[in-house]
Amino acid sequence: MSDTQKLASEVLEAVGGSANVSNLAHCMTRLRFTLKDEAKADDEKVKGIDGVLGLAKSGGQYQVVIGPKVPEVYDAIAAQGVAAAGSVDENLDSDLTEKQPLTPKRVGENILNFLSNSVVPLIPVLITGALFKTVAAVFGSTMLGVFPDDSPFIFVCNQVYNAAFYFLPIVAGFTSAKYMKANPVLGALMGAILIEPNFLALSSATDSTFAYSVYGIPAPTLNYANTLIPVLLSVWVMSYVQRFFDRKLPEQVRTVFAPFFTFVVMLPVALCVLAPLGNYLGVGLAAFLEWLGATPLGFLAVTIIAATWPILVMTGMHVGLAAIALAQFAQTGQDTMVLMAANIQNFVATGVALAVWLRLKDKDQKNLAFGYFITQFVGGVGEPLLYGVFLRYKRPWIGSIAGGAAAGLYGALTHVVLYAPTTGIFATLGFAGGSTANFVNGIIGTVLGVVVAFVVTWFFGLSKDAIEGRM
């Protein structure tokens, strides 16, 4: 008996056998049973089956989470005489689940679910780009020196990395629209509008007299490449606008005019309000932290930035901070706040990744976590870890914040200076260039952050279900 057939037989037996199944369907990750008597299903037995990642009950369905191999398991169960309905939409849960009151907790869960379900499908793209960046770092001039920086090999590696991250708004527009049950292609179009070349050119033009506007409404010309929050906000609103026109327009003209009217409405909403929102928040936060850094409580600014840097990156709010920090660095050749804190957090995140990798028991999730660890530690590329671990499991944020705060506070109190902003395995060399004490304190702060992040994540960063692979 193959592993798939064994898994299918064990699941079917645990849910009460074929006689207890009135219907079976599957989506991208779950077997969806309609059981005659749910009391006959043994929940704990189902969860304990090797190969089962979790269990959910929604809208009268008994859903067993299998993962990518669910079609094969479904076929194996159907072959045992179970009435099977085929594949269904992954997003049916929102229709099946009873409406719940919008409490603050529920709102937070909905936001995290939207982010998670929109971003998790991007992980293969992020990992591929990050690994090519890692290969370039290992074989390039910063480590082994096998290839010079201007070689075709390094160029191609950077090409894949840049494509994966530069065009994120397009791919994220597709995945978020699919989750919101809007037209995924229209979601991709929304992302493409935000990074259209002529529009991006306006964001970097210094002497242009062209006044950009949407229907006469002035709109800021910002660079939305490599960002996620602007397109996610825009697609979230777009999904409701599209459904409105789908309901209101006659069927004869709906196909042509529903998408058109959707974007007629969404262009000013997205380009004048939603997309710039993250940038404005970042600029305001940058101004506040810059002011705080000039006060006797300046150490708090460094602590806050180091603790929340992954959150700032995910929301795009780091752009305003980085712009100010890089401008100051260009003048002084050193940094004691933003770039220093971000440099420390590069390794703090590695501590989180290491703890998650060692703690997880599910083979597939463990292998993914190892990939996140490598791309973060060697290449300094944190997006796979951010979206594959932080958003997926949620609790690892605790370790990242605790480790970042500890490292940032130590770096601030010992006045650590960063002389060379860099990422990856040699990021700590950025503390060299001044006194020996500065380099030593930079290393101590980094190690402190990694240890705190590792310990906190180990004990508090993963639920039992996450460790066992049931979520």
Side-chain angles (χ1 to χ4, degrees), residues 267-285:
L267 284 177
V269 175
L271 294 169
C272 300
V273 181
L274 298 176
L277 182 59
N279 179 267
Y280 291 150
L281 291 174
V283 170
L285 181 62

Side-chain angles (χ1 to χ4, degrees), residues 36-281:
K36 297 176 182 178
D37 184 0
E38 196 170 294
K40 293 183 179 180
D42 188 333
D43 294 356
E44 295 306 314
K45 187 174 181 180
V46 171
K47 293 178 182 178
I49 296 173
D50 186 20
V52 171
L53 305 180
L55 176 63
K57 300 176 184 180
S58 178
Q61 287 189 339
Y62 193 88
Q63 303 175 12
V64 182
V65 184
I66 300 295
K69 64 184 296 183
V70 68
E72 291 86 349
V73 179
Y74 166 85
D75 289 339
I77 294 178
Q80 299 184 42
V82 173
S87 176
V88 298
D89 192 338
E90 183 79 27
N91 295 321
L92 283 177
D93 291 339
S94 58
D95 290 336
L96 295 170
T97 305
E98 182 180 350
K99 296 293 183 181
Q100 299 183 21
L102 283 180
T103 62
K105 179 181 179 181
R106 184 66 181 172
V107 170
E109 289 176 349
N110 288 343
I111 292 173
L112 287 176
N113 286 336
F114 172 62
L115 289 173
S116 178
N117 285 281
S118 299
V119 173
V120 167
L122 303 178
I123 289 176
V125 176
L126 298 174
I127 285 228
T128 300
L131 285 176
F132 271 95
K133 181 72 170 180
T134 302
V135 169
V138 171
F139 293 98
S141 60
T142 58
M143 289 187 65
L144 300 180
V146 176
F147 299 99
D149 290 339
D150 59 353
S151 69
F153 177 78
I154 299 298
F155 183 93
V156 169
C157 288
N158 289 332
Q159 180 182 5
V160 176
Y161 169 78
N162 291 334
F165 287 87
Y166 183 89
F167 294 107
L168 269 183
I170 297 177
V171 188
F174 184 94
T175 59
S176 59
K178 185 175 181 181
Y179 175 73
M180 292 298 297
K181 294 188 290 186
N183 187 324
V185 178
L186 295 184
L189 176 59
M190 178 61 73
I193 289 171
L194 295 181
I195 60 172
E196 191 273 329
N198 292 319
F199 175 73
L200 290 187
L202 292 176
S203 69
S204 58
T206 57
D207 57 351
S208 175
T209 59
F210 180 73
Y212 181 75
S213 65
V214 183
Y215 312 149
I217 305 172
T221 53
L222 305 171
N223 189 335
Y224 299 116
N226 304 291
T227 65
L228 283 176
I229 298 303
V231 70
L232 293 181
L233 280 174
S234 300
V235 169
W236 173 63
V237 175
M238 186 199 78
S239 67
Y240 293 99
V241 176
Q242 182 200 320
R243 284 197 288 272
F244 172 81
F245 287 116
D246 283 344
R247 290 195 305 267
K248 297 299 183 181
L249 290 177
E251 185 177 354
Q252 296 86 342
V253 298
R254 185 182 304 155
T255 302
V256 175
F257 287 103
F260 173 70
F261 288 146
T262 296
F263 276 89
V264 167
V265 172
M266 282 305 304
L267 284 177
V269 175
L271 294 169
C272 300
V273 181
L274 298 176
L277 182 59
N279 179 267
Y280 291 150
L281 291 174

